[in-house]
Amino acid sequence: MNEGHLGKFSFGGERAATDNHPVVIHYLPLAESVSAALAVGTLLKKVEVKGSGEESESVVDIAYAPFLSTDTDAPCAVVDLPCDPAGEHGEKSAACVVHGTVKGRLLKTGDNKSPTTMQLAALAERGVFAV
């Protein structure tokens, strides 16, 4: 059996995740409406994807979009790596912390505001804790 070094892969820059509590990171599908780049620490929310034609009233999938400071629903994830849906590769999903601890100083809403205490509490109820 031959073993060898095939290559090296590394991420640069700061990440939202911390070492305080093991994190769960998932690549979450982005809503079709998301076209702006998502920075590390951006809060995301779930959005329902409706069917087309006869299924136009039924929910057929779930996607994710930036959580805005004015949203009434709750944030549920935090972008962990930069993501650019409009970039060269047209990313369709974002690496996100869905459980664990994240750096509170990096957190921001999709409209670039600091999340409120209530928004952070709602995020914590979903298992993502700002430290």
Side-chain angles (χ1 to χ4, degrees), residues 10-43:
S10 65
F11 290 106
E14 188 166 33
R15 297 181 70 168
T18 70
D19 295 331
N20 295 7
H21 178 74
V23 296
V24 176
I25 297 174
H26 284 274
Y27 276 84
L28 301 178
L30 297 173
E32 289 183 14
S33 62
V34 179
S35 60
L38 301 174
V40 169
T42 303
L43 302 179

Side-chain angles (χ1 to χ4, degrees), residues 32-101:
E32 289 183 14
S33 62
V34 179
S35 60
L38 301 174
V40 169
T42 303
L43 302 179
L44 296 183
K45 64 181 177 183
K46 285 183 186 179
V47 293
E48 296 177 342
V49 177
K50 304 276 184 157
S52 59
E54 292 180 13
E55 298 179 335
S56 64
E57 294 300 316
S58 59
V59 177
V60 296
D61 206 356
I62 297 291
Y64 296 82
F67 174 83
L68 303 177
S69 62
T70 56
D71 284 337
T72 55
D73 48 353
C76 62
V78 176
V79 175
D80 190 49
L81 295 171
C83 173
D84 190 2
E88 179 181 341
H89 302 298
E91 296 175 88
K92 302 287 183 212
S93 62
C96 300
V97 175
V98 295
H99 178 79
T101 55

Side-chain angles (χ1 to χ4, degrees), residues 103-117:
K103 298 170 187 164
R105 64 183 170 73
L106 293 180
L107 300 183
K108 60 185 153 272
T109 62
D111 48 358
N112 208 26
K113 301 203 176 179
S114 295
T116 66
T117 303

